[in-house]
Amino acid sequence: QVQLEESGGGLVQAGGSLRLSCAASGRTSSSNAMAWFRQAPGKEREFVSRITWSGTSTYYADSVKGRFTISRDNAKNTVYLEMNSLKPEDTAVYYCAIGSRNVWTAAAQYDYWGQGTQVTVSS
């Protein structure tokens, strides 16, 4: 089994920044990919960003490209999401997920999920 724990969410004004963390424990593998998704009230879960454990491949949704950066620290078994120039439309619960190295943007492709961390951006 794999356990994922998100942290770093909070309340921030538009234009501000937050850094989310996702710590993984259990039977993780270097073949895994990790991703961030988000879900606003009444909306479907939306892909945000993806990274392979090697860090050699990253991918971003168009809505966050140029503003968000995904990174990892393999020694700590942790993935980060640095969010800059935040907008009110970024308000959502952010979830960390893990799947095989071949997964991309569909939530159904991922095998394990964290419980989420709330990000609220005020105007």
Side-chain angles (χ1 to χ4, degrees):
Q1 62 179 0
V2 177
Q3 308 290 331
L4 301 174
E5 182 180 0
E6 303 99 334
S7 61
L11 175 64
V12 65
Q13 292 184 331
S17 300
L18 285 173
R19 188 186 192 219
L20 306 183
S21 299
C22 174
S25 61
R27 298 195 64 182
T28 58
S29 171
S30 61
S31 65
N32 294 149
M34 297 185 71
W36 289 96
F37 287 76
R38 65 188 183 186
Q39 188 166 19
K43 305 294 184 181
E44 296 297 314
R45 192 161 296 187
E46 176 190 19
F47 171 80
V48 176
S49 186
R50 170 195 181 272
I51 190 170
T52 59
W53 197 242
S54 67
T56 58
S57 179
T58 60
Y59 188 74
Y60 299 91
D62 289 341
S63 59
V64 306
K65 193 174 299 181
R67 299 189 297 121
F68 292 9
T69 301
I70 191 170
S71 61
R72 47 72 181 168
D73 184 341
N74 287 352
K76 297 181 179 180
N77 219 20
T78 299
V79 171
Y80 305 96
L81 185 68
E82 296 183 2
M83 305 184 294
N84 299 312
S85 302
L86 283 163
K87 305 174 181 179
E89 51 262 46
D90 295 318
T91 296
V93 176
Y94 282 71
Y95 296 92
C96 180
I98 188 169
S100 77
R101 62 185 173 183
N102 295 319
V103 299
W104 289 96
T105 63
Q109 295 178 309
Y110 290 82
D111 301 309
Y112 300 97
W113 296 83
Q115 293 184 329
T117 185
Q118 177 71 48
V119 173
T120 302
V121 184
S122 62
S123 60

